Amino acid sequence: MRKKIVAGNWKMNMTFEEGQTLTSEILNMMKDEHSGDAIAVLNPPFPHIFPVKKLIGEAKAVFIGAQNCSDKEAGAFTGEVSTKILASFGVQYVIIGHSERREYFQESNEMLAAKVKLALVNGLTPIFCCGESLEIRTAGTHEATVTTQLTEGLFDLSPADFSKIVIAYEPIWAIGTGKTASSEEAQDMHAALRSHVASKYGKDIADGTSILYGGSCNPKNAQELFAKPDVDGGLIGGASLKSRDFVDIIKSF
Ligand code: PEP
């Protein structure tokens, strides 16, 4: 069975105090209220990682991730953080190729493929993001665009490595806009992605790959989205900054 995952992307938000409070609240609610098999992954800004991980401790079903990593192994790359450093701090997941990284930092599929490989070498689970702009959706070429992102970012991997990947489909027009993809639109794209994976790696690996939806997911729409057969969870931006909303999304499974 595929993993059900709800990953919170804090982006560039939260002071130290705010991050500690948010994490403590999430942990308490998870302990008191969460009985399902979905897991939470908290992806705070880099400086939060160690203290947040410490708070998580041995908590059940809560994991720590980073929002980005370097495409280089080590060395003179001021301001960058390698997957080896992340792993040494106990980081378990890393978001790779978020549309904000692709757009504002010109991250190409080639660079993302390098990041994915380094993440896997160092034992991190990549959450590989893909998604189309509104222009592309309107032109009707969204499926081709997103499957190409997968091909170029991931399809160099061996089957054993690919089976460790988590995919996040995030239509750019739905991120932070309050405009969610309908559950049918999400399902259609997730099914297309799964069949694209199957065409390269076979049905078993495709069936085992968790594909998350991201884009204005909230406690009101999560249940309908997560009920779709190919939607295995969410990558949550704005709503991950509110403990009540984030935990309610996890409980939507
Ligand atoms: C995101 O940036 O990954 C995201 C899904 O943001 P939001 O939930 O705020 O749309």
Side-chain angles (χ1 to χ4, degrees), residues 9 11 98 100 170 174-177 214-217 235-239:
N9 176 9
K11 308 195 183 183
H98 190 281
E100 288 151 17
E170 298 205 300
I175 295 180
T177 58
S216 299
C217 187
L235 179 52
I236 318 296

Side-chain angles (χ1 to χ4, degrees), residues 1 6 23 29 47 61 66 89 99 105 127 131 199 210 220 230 232 238:
M1 219 181 55
V6 177
T23 306
M29 289 178 194
F89 280 91
S99 62
F105 302 94
I127 301 176
S199 72
S210 297
K220 289 200 178 78
D230 287 293
D232 306 308

Side-chain angles (χ1 to χ4, degrees), residues 175-211:
I175 295 180
T177 58
K179 199 173 163 202
T180 322
S182 70
S183 55
E184 288 76 23
E185 285 169 331
Q187 168 58 25
D188 286 351
M189 182 61 90
H190 285 223
L193 290 171
R194 200 176 303 288
S195 111
H196 189 57
V197 172
S199 72
K200 167 81 179 172
Y201 291 103
K203 189 173 179 323
D204 284 355
I205 287 182
D207 283 347
T209 304
S210 297
I211 307 180

